[in-house]
Amino acid sequence: INARISIPLTQRKISPIAYQVSNTFMLAQTSSNEPNQPIRINITNNLDRIYTGTIFIGTPLRQQFEVIFDTGSADLWVFGASHRCVIGEQCNDKTWQMNHCSSSEDDNVCCFFEDIMNAYNGSASTSYQSYTADSDDWHITYGKGSASGHLSMDSVTIGGLTADALVFAEATFWSDLLISCDEPMSGILGFAMKAASDANNADTLLETLYTQGQISSKIFSMSIGGVSGRSELIIGEPDTSKYNNEIVFASVVQPLQTGMWFTLLTGALYSAEQNLTTARAHNSYVFLDKCLSNEPCLALVDTGSSYLVVPSNAYHQLLNYLEENLATDEDQSCFVHSSSSGSDDDEEDDDNDDDDNWNTCV
């Protein structure tokens, strides 16, 4: 049994797209690593917004897919060959408009671009099985975008480990909010728990690998590097070279009920100091949000999102702090984002990309 499987992520600058994803079936190479040694697979950091890793589905020709590693969901899904979307050879602004791709789910139009997306073909796999338990209908909704289709079963390989007869979804329709010409991907691999599954409560990939004796524990971690750093998904015990001091553990809130990686916060603060001890010593911080026992603050650890979402009251406190402490320093530049919504504490604001809402500090 492998003690730890380490899957590195390699960052590349790809604006515009500097490579193509071959829409063909590829034969997976057999790993030659020694037992208990990390198995490393180079995958891609797309514009610092999504991290995609390689998986293979089917036998004997294993079909290759680049999927987002997402702790905010539990299902594995890939684009299905039986999709009902408009097909384009290359993804760019011209073909996007020509094919009427839209961010509106009401338009009933979705797009599939052969240079950035791969589609699963069950008829090319001898290990493919149709899903017969209850209904095979499948649908999932994310914070941005959605997908729907049907459930199937096949062998799925990640990092040299193969999960047999894994239940996954073939997407036949999806919101174009999920795709981008600058962010090639062919599906999403969820690392949340079984209770969060939209696939008829089927076992996740990690749970299946554990049940089938491929891994000795269901522990995993992610190390995200900067521009010149190396990023990895690690299945197994954490790599001690990736962190300093001791790991601080936090309890997961209602894991059996939600299946999500929610944890309880005691508060949130902001400081320009890199060291929290120094910030406290110099009193150079602002406490953004105090979490009360009767109004607890929950945070979701979500590797599939590029957004940092906070309550409105904390958001506006942060803006006020930046205006007061940074705008008076001539050596610093400051930009603040004005929310289009009100300051109701029950609402949440995220880092909207609307240029009209960004203003220079005065």
Side-chain angles (χ1 to χ4, degrees):
I1 297 177
N2 289 284
R4 183 174 73 228
I5 304 302
S6 186
I7 304 171
L9 293 78
T10 302
Q11 185 177 45
R12 301 170 187 167
K13 294 182 179 179
I14 55 164
S15 184
I17 293 295
Y19 65 94
Q20 292 184 338
V21 179
S22 176
N23 192 25
T24 58
F25 301 149
M26 301 185 66
L27 182 63
Q29 295 181 351
T30 302
S31 172
S32 60
N33 289 355
E34 296 296 326
N36 298 326
Q37 293 298 312
I39 298 174
R40 303 181 182 278
I41 301 174
N42 292 327
I43 60 179
T44 305
N45 172 353
N46 294 286
L47 304 179
D48 282 339
R49 296 204 293 186
I50 63 171
Y51 285 82
T52 56
T54 303
I55 65 170
F56 299 91
I57 304 179
T59 52
L61 290 176
R62 298 182 176 181
Q63 303 171 45
Q64 179 176 329
F65 302 93
E66 301 299 312
V67 295
I68 298 173
F69 290 158
D70 180 24
T71 59
S73 65
D75 295 354
L76 166 61
W77 67 266
V78 294
F79 300 121
S82 60
H83 66 79
R84 47 193 176 89
C85 301
V86 178
I87 299 177
E89 291 184 0
Q90 293 186 328
C91 185
N92 52 53
D93 291 342
K94 181 179 180 180
T95 56
W96 189 278
Q97 296 175 5
M98 181 178 65
N99 291 318
H100 303 289
C101 304
S102 172
S103 60
S104 173
E105 299 181 37
D106 298 330
D107 289 346
N108 201 34
V109 173
C110 61
C111 293
F112 181 91
F113 293 101
E114 294 177 327
D115 62 331
I116 63 168
M117 304 158 76
N118 280 354
Y120 168 78
N121 186 350
S123 63
S125 174
T126 58
S127 52
Y128 163 80
Q129 302 177 52
S130 60
Y131 184 81
T132 57
D134 301 320
S135 172
D136 68 348
D137 291 340
W138 171 83
H139 182 273
I140 193 168
T141 300
Y142 298 97
K144 186 178 77 171
S146 62
S148 59
H150 60 270
L151 299 177
S152 298
M153 299 172 66
D154 207 334
S155 297
V156 176
T157 301
I158 180 173
L161 303 175
T162 299
D164 295 325
L166 182 75
V167 177
F168 69 100
E170 296 182 52
T172 56
F173 187 84
W174 50 86
S175 163
D176 288 325
L177 286 169
L178 291 177
I179 65 174
S180 167
C181 294
D182 291 330
E183 300 169 5
M185 73 93 171
S186 294
I188 295 178
L189 171 55
F191 277 85
M193 291 164 280
K194 181 177 179 178
S197 173
D198 288 286
N200 274 356
N201 203 35
D203 284 347
T204 65
L205 174 59
L206 204 63
E207 290 168 331
T208 302
L209 289 173
Y210 177 77
T211 301
Q212 295 179 359
Q214 295 293 303
I215 54 177
S216 58
S217 69
K218 293 182 281 186
I219 299 174
F220 73 94
S221 57
M222 289 192 72
S223 172
I224 304 298
V227 174
S228 59
R230 184 178 185 177
S231 300
E232 292 180 312
L233 164 69
I234 300 173
I235 301 176
E237 294 295 324
D239 185 345
T240 56
S241 68
K242 302 297 183 182
Y243 59 90
N244 297 320
N245 303 318
E246 299 294 326
I247 295 178
V248 177
F249 290 91
S251 298
V252 177
V253 178
Q254 295 184 326
L256 298 180
Q257 289 81 3
T258 67
M260 303 291 280
W261 300 110
F262 283 110
T263 189
L264 190 65
L265 297 184
T266 56
L269 60 84
Y270 170 83
S271 174
E273 303 281 357
Q274 294 186 0
N275 186 291
L276 184 57
T277 302
T278 305
R280 287 173 173 170
H282 295 167
N283 198 33
S284 57
Y285 67 90
V286 59
F287 205 80
L288 300 178
D289 195 25
K290 294 183 178 179
C291 304
L292 307 176
S293 58
N294 60 337
E295 296 181 4
C297 303
L298 299 181
L300 175 64
V301 181
D302 184 5
T303 60
S305 174
S306 61
Y307 297 101
L308 178 63
V309 182
V310 297
S312 290
N313 62 332
Y315 178 78
H316 289 288
Q317 286 186 61
L318 173 59
L319 294 186
N320 292 336
Y321 178 82
L322 293 175
E323 290 175 338
E324 294 173 2
N325 292 274
L326 297 184
T328 57
D329 190 337
E330 295 180 358
D331 295 328
Q332 297 195 49
S333 299
C334 176
F335 297 91
V336 297
H337 181 271
S338 58
S339 173
S340 59
S341 63
S343 59
D344 192 318
D345 291 347
D346 292 331
E347 295 181 357
E348 293 183 339
D349 300 316
D350 58 38
D351 49 346
N352 195 311
D353 291 330
D354 187 353
D355 291 338
D356 293 335
N357 287 340
W358 287 96
N359 301 287
T360 304
C361 295
V362 295

